[in-house]
Amino acid sequence: MPTKILVVDDEPAMQQLIRMGFRKPIRKNEYEFFFALNGKEALEVLTATPEVGIILCDINMPVMNGLTFLSQLRESAELRKVIMVTAYGNMENIRAAMNGGAFDFVNKPIDFPDLQITLDKAIEALIQLQEAERTRSQLLSAEQELVLAEQKARQLRELDQVKSRFFTNISHEFRTPLTVIDGMADQLRDEPERWAISGGELIKRNSQRLLRLVGQILDLRKLETGSMTTQLIQANVRGYLKYIFISFQSLAESRGIRLQFEADEQEIWMDIDPDKLMSIASNLISNAIKYSEKGAEVRMKLSKEQEVLQIVVSDTGIGIQAEQLPHIFDRFYQADGSSTRFAEGTGVGLALTHELIRLFGGTIEVASEWGKGSQFTVHLPIRRQATVQDPLQAMSDIWVDKKEEGEEEVGVSVPEAEDHHLPSLLLVEDNPDIIQYLIACVGERYQIQIARDGQEGIDKALELIPDIIISDVMMPRKDGFELCESLKTNESTNHIPIILLTAKADIDAKLTGLGLGADAYLTKPFEKAELLIRLEKLVELRRKLQSRYQSLEAPNPSEHPIIQKQDAFIGAFKQIVENHLDDPMFKVPDLCKEIGMSRPSLHRKVKALTGMSTTHFVQEIRLQKAGILLQSTDYSISEIAYMTGFSTPAYFSKSYKSKYGESPSVKRKA
């Protein structure tokens, strides 16, 4: 189809001029022209022929001029391209036209080759515009279907995110005990007598943890498919639930949490499945303890109303945010899915609890206030049709010797280092079994300090300035990424090598850690040999830094980012000392003020980089400068002593001889 072009000009001769100038395209049916003598006529033409796509319009016309006409086209201007015609050099009109939405302009008298080029550009832009409009129309016509499709897609994305979070969390939950099991198996193989008892206990505890996790997932799958069966007995549910609740006493005490049990009646007889009721109660109690801090209280209260048992498990812990409450019983949902969540989990426990309660025709509700605690209320119908039996005898083998997570929290014993010259290692990890295993791996090679979360790790790193840090990523308060970023951007600690040791094995997490300055990123389960080599190489880097700065010579440039930062620090340190070289009253407190660090932090950093105290390093700089002056100037020894900040020539001579093995006078003669 030809491109339809409207020419708006009050000169009748323009029609003949246009037809002559474009006779070939007209003959080939490429262009079809329409004409109007002013803006008003042009609007009438457009109404009759709305498919006109290009408008060539003069500015100066009677009745309605070109600029007024252009303003009338604003609503439909996006579907057309308007080329304005004006007297040569009339920039005011040109500017007004372009501001009004014109595509381009040409000058009178018209240069047809120039007009052809302008038309070609306008037609190309129009074609693109029309194609876009056709696409938009198609999209608009299918809008309802797209909305539905988008809703389905959003639901699929949300499900995919839930599954992704679940597999990430389940991976973490599997990797952590597998790290302990795999690592302690190696320790038992290499040193069976030393690790026979404690190593076996670690392996047993973590294998049970894996079995519980697998059991929960399988149970949830059975509930989903309707293949879960019940083994009912009739028992005193009050006594059984009290037994389950008290089994968490040691765990609660180890965390400084009080337990309180209440019941309106001494005996409540009803049909129960001991295994499944244990699972329901244990999940609720362990969650209450898990998400409570020291000093909190966890309560279980039983009451009977008509033929319904009410079980209330409440705590004064961290609570659940209001927007998360509707989802906490969803499969694989975690109220806190961040890497700084208060406690580990997979999002299986509450979903399983909810489904088990439904299996018995019961209900569960939750009420919570963020920062103040949560309350879970379970209602179970009371029936008495099964045979009376002791629930502890009726429990299946999987529950024997098991109190869900009601084990006492494992204590961590850090061995006292016999050699105080060993490198210091800060271990930042919230899992006690992992801590114990890492101590087994590296305890004889390092002086170990422990931090149980990211914030404590940052605080201890600033306080101790250790030689090296091993940190988990997923921890309460602050995660390993935040720890890494905080320490690597702090002048006091940016020299400390950091190994991130984590169950987050995806490449994005690894790149994030390395991008924040981590010196190594190892995933659980890890090889002990690899960890030891990484540690050894990073400690070796610290020794190289000490050798680099002890000589006081300007070091060769390095491409290693850690060395570059420390070169800059030592350079700034030396420059401050040299700026006050002749001032014997310039002491370490003054140096701390200028460099912007506390005295303990500066001392520990200088000690780590040079092996010297701050005072000793300052004196080394002064003595080096004195040696240069002795050889390169004619100043007297007394003058040099005062020029390099020594209070007396005698003290200078004594210090110089102590360092170089010869007196300043001998150095001068040489």
Side-chain angles (χ1 to χ4, degrees):
M1 289 180 62
T3 301
K4 291 180 169 52
I5 303 172
L6 171 61
V7 179
V8 189
D9 197 297
D10 61 330
E11 296 182 13
M14 178 61 76
Q15 297 185 21
Q16 186 64 27
L17 188 63
I18 290 294
R19 287 194 173 97
M20 288 295 295
F22 293 102
R23 59 185 179 279
K24 289 183 179 180
I26 292 172
R27 193 178 303 123
K28 293 179 180 179
N29 201 32
E30 293 175 359
Y31 297 161
E32 181 180 358
F33 285 98
F34 300 84
F35 297 94
L37 295 174
N38 53 59
K40 185 177 179 181
E41 286 187 16
L43 291 174
E44 294 172 355
V45 172
L46 291 177
T47 301
T49 317
E51 60 270 24
V52 168
I54 305 293
I55 300 173
L56 184 64
C57 181
D58 191 14
I59 290 181
N60 298 311
M61 296 182 296
V63 184
M64 180 187 290
N65 64 32
L67 295 177
T68 304
F69 168 66
L70 184 62
S71 68
Q72 297 290 316
L73 294 178
R74 279 193 178 276
E75 292 185 3
S76 61
E78 69 274 8
L79 302 179
R80 298 186 175 95
K81 296 300 175 186
V82 182
I83 301 169
M84 303 303 292
V85 180
T86 184
Y88 184 79
N90 192 335
M91 292 305 299
E92 184 176 351
N93 279 342
I94 292 171
R95 193 159 35 246
M98 299 305 288
N99 290 337
F103 174 76
D104 207 339
F105 68 93
V106 294
N107 290 309
K108 280 186 176 181
I110 292 176
D111 181 340
F112 274 89
D114 178 55
L115 178 57
Q116 182 65 67
I117 293 172
T118 304
L119 279 174
D120 290 342
K121 289 193 301 182
I123 292 169
E124 182 180 357
L126 180 66
I127 291 170
Q128 294 175 352
L129 189 63
Q130 289 172 341
E131 289 177 352
E133 179 61 21
R134 279 194 295 272
T135 302
R136 189 176 75 88
S137 297
Q138 292 170 357
L139 290 173
L140 287 174
S141 65
E143 182 176 359
Q144 189 172 8
E145 292 181 13
L146 283 173
V147 169
L148 293 174
E150 178 58 30
Q151 289 176 347
K152 290 181 181 179
R154 185 169 59 251
Q155 291 171 352
L156 288 172
R157 285 196 300 269
E158 290 172 355
L159 180 60
D160 185 62
Q161 289 170 358
V162 168
K163 288 181 177 179
S164 178
R165 283 196 302 270
F166 166 70
F167 285 115
T168 298
N169 293 332
I170 205 74
S171 172
H172 189 278
E173 293 294 300
F174 275 120
R175 285 174 180 273
T176 298
L178 282 172
T179 297
V180 176
I181 293 168
D182 184 62
M184 290 312 301
D186 290 340
Q187 295 292 105
L188 282 169
R189 180 195 60 206
D190 297 338
E191 300 178 85
E193 293 183 0
R194 180 179 178 185
W195 297 107
I197 297 176
S198 61
E201 290 175 350
L202 280 173
I203 290 173
K204 180 68 173 176
R205 184 163 54 246
N206 282 273
S207 63
Q208 288 176 338
R209 182 179 177 184
L210 284 175
L211 283 172
R212 287 197 297 270
L213 185 57
V214 171
Q216 284 188 332
I217 295 171
L218 292 176
D219 284 348
L220 188 58
R221 181 59 182 162
K222 288 179 182 178
L223 286 164
E224 287 176 341
T225 59
S227 58
M228 174 73 76
T229 59
T230 58
Q231 303 294 325
L232 296 176
I233 66 167
Q234 188 178 155
N236 176 15
V237 73
R238 178 196 184 277
Y240 183 54
L241 287 174
K242 184 176 182 180
Y243 162 78
I244 297 171
F245 188 72
I246 291 176
S247 71
F248 285 86
Q249 186 69 47
S250 59
L251 173 64
E253 287 178 354
S254 71
R255 297 189 179 185
I257 296 170
R258 300 184 304 277
L259 295 185
Q260 184 71 34
F261 181 85
E262 299 178 34
D264 291 348
E265 301 186 25
Q266 288 298 314
E267 293 186 355
I268 304 174
W269 289 84
M270 62 182 289
D271 293 349
I272 63 171
D273 182 317
D275 285 352
K276 295 172 180 58
L277 185 57
M278 163 96 56
S279 181
I280 291 168
S282 296
N283 269 316
L284 295 177
I285 299 166
S286 63
N287 273 353
I289 295 174
K290 186 188 297 183
Y291 292 99
S292 294
E293 297 176 302
K294 186 176 181 180
E297 182 178 82
V298 173
R299 302 174 57 141
M300 174 181 275
K301 182 176 181 180
L302 305 184
S303 60
K304 187 178 79 168
E305 185 174 340
Q306 296 180 350
E307 289 302 298
V308 175
L309 171 68
Q310 177 175 281
I311 307 169
V312 177
V313 177
S314 60
D315 63 72
T316 56
I318 63 172
I320 305 168
Q321 294 183 352
E323 63 271 17
Q324 296 168 339
L325 284 173
H327 306 290
I328 63 168
F329 297 117
D330 294 349
R331 291 166 180 79
F332 316 132
Y333 180 82
Q334 284 190 296
D336 183 2
S338 69
S339 57
T340 56
R341 61 180 184 264
F342 195 79
E344 295 181 350
T346 59
V348 172
L350 283 178
L352 176 61
T353 299
H354 179 253
E355 294 299 325
L356 286 173
I357 291 169
R358 289 181 58 194
L359 180 67
F360 295 110
T363 61
I364 181 170
E365 297 90 33
V366 59
S368 184
E369 186 173 351
W370 179 245
K372 294 188 177 181
S374 303
Q375 177 175 296
F376 288 82
T377 303
V378 178
H379 293 96
L380 294 174
I382 295 176
R383 302 184 182 95
R384 300 181 186 90
Q385 298 174 349
T387 304
V388 174
Q389 192 176 347
D390 182 349
L392 296 180
Q393 293 180 354
M395 289 168 64
S396 64
D397 292 340
I398 193 172
W399 292 101
V400 177
D401 299 326
K402 172 191 175 301
K403 301 179 181 67
E404 187 62 20
E405 299 202 347
E407 309 162 53
E408 183 175 356
E409 180 144 300
V410 181
V412 175
S413 58
V414 181
E416 186 72 28
E418 297 181 3
D419 184 356
H420 294 287
H421 296 290
L422 290 174
S424 58
L425 185 152
L426 176 61
L427 179 56
V428 190
E429 169 66 62
D430 62 327
N431 185 293
D433 286 351
I434 292 291
I435 294 174
Q436 201 64 58
Y437 170 58
L438 286 170
I439 290 173
C441 290
V442 304
E444 296 179 350
R445 296 173 171 85
Y446 297 89
Q447 301 179 71
I448 297 177
Q449 293 288 335
I450 304 295
R452 298 299 292 266
D453 61 57
Q455 183 59 60
E456 186 183 352
I458 292 170
D459 295 340
K460 283 198 172 183
L462 291 169
E463 175 191 352
L464 303 171
I465 313 294
D467 294 316
I468 195 164
I469 295 171
I470 297 176
S471 176
D472 190 16
V473 170
M474 299 177 74
M475 296 180 293
R477 296 209 286 173
K478 289 196 174 179
D479 62 22
F481 294 149
E482 292 173 293
L483 175 139
C484 193
E485 182 177 27
S486 177
L487 297 182
K488 287 298 186 178
T489 54
N490 189 309
E491 190 69 74
S492 303
T493 54
N494 63 11
H495 65 285
I496 304 174
I498 299 176
I499 296 177
L500 290 179
L501 189 64
T502 176
K504 294 190 74 171
D506 57 286
I507 188 64
D508 289 340
K510 184 174 183 178
L511 292 176
T512 298
L514 296 175
L516 290 171
D519 299 270
Y521 193 104
L522 301 182
T523 55
K524 301 173 185 176
F526 57 89
E527 289 291 334
K528 174 184 173 182
E530 182 182 4
L531 175 63
L532 293 177
I533 289 173
R534 293 274 190 175
L535 287 168
E536 182 181 336
K537 292 299 181 184
L538 290 171
V539 171
E540 184 181 323
L541 175 62
R542 182 182 69 93
R543 297 193 189 101
K544 288 181 179 179
L545 287 174
Q546 288 188 353
S547 300
R548 184 178 181 86
Y549 303 128
Q550 282 173 347
S551 68
L552 295 177
E553 299 295 332
N556 294 325
S558 172
E559 294 183 359
H560 197 294
I562 290 181
I563 296 178
Q564 289 175 349
K565 287 183 178 180
Q566 307 327 310
D567 283 353
F569 171 78
I570 292 295
F573 185 102
K574 291 171 67 176
Q575 187 61 55
I576 291 171
V577 175
E578 290 175 4
N579 290 343
H580 300 275
L581 197 64
D582 59 352
D583 182 3
M585 302 306 294
F586 187 76
K587 304 296 185 183
V588 171
D590 305 302
L591 177 59
C592 292
K593 188 175 181 180
E594 285 208 25
I595 209 167
M597 294 173 66
S598 69
R599 185 166 185 164
S601 295
L602 181 62
H603 170 75
R604 286 190 285 264
K605 173 140 188 166
V606 171
K607 185 77 172 176
L609 292 178
T610 68
M612 306 178 221
S613 68
T614 307
T615 302
H616 187 189
F617 191 48
V618 169
Q619 182 160 301
E620 290 289 296
I621 295 170
R622 294 182 185 277
L623 288 172
Q624 184 202 40
K625 187 65 175 179
I628 294 172
L629 292 173
L630 284 169
Q631 286 191 314
S632 62
T633 70
D634 294 329
Y635 293 119
S636 67
I637 292 175
S638 295
E639 288 175 316
I640 290 174
Y642 293 125
M643 290 171 66
T644 53
F646 288 88
S647 55
T648 66
Y651 178 56
F652 165 63
S653 296
K654 180 182 177 181
S655 300
Y656 192 91
K657 186 172 183 180
S658 175
K659 175 175 174 57
Y660 294 110
E662 60 183 5
S663 65
S665 57
V666 173
K667 180 70 173 178
R668 168 59 58 83
K669 290 177 183 178

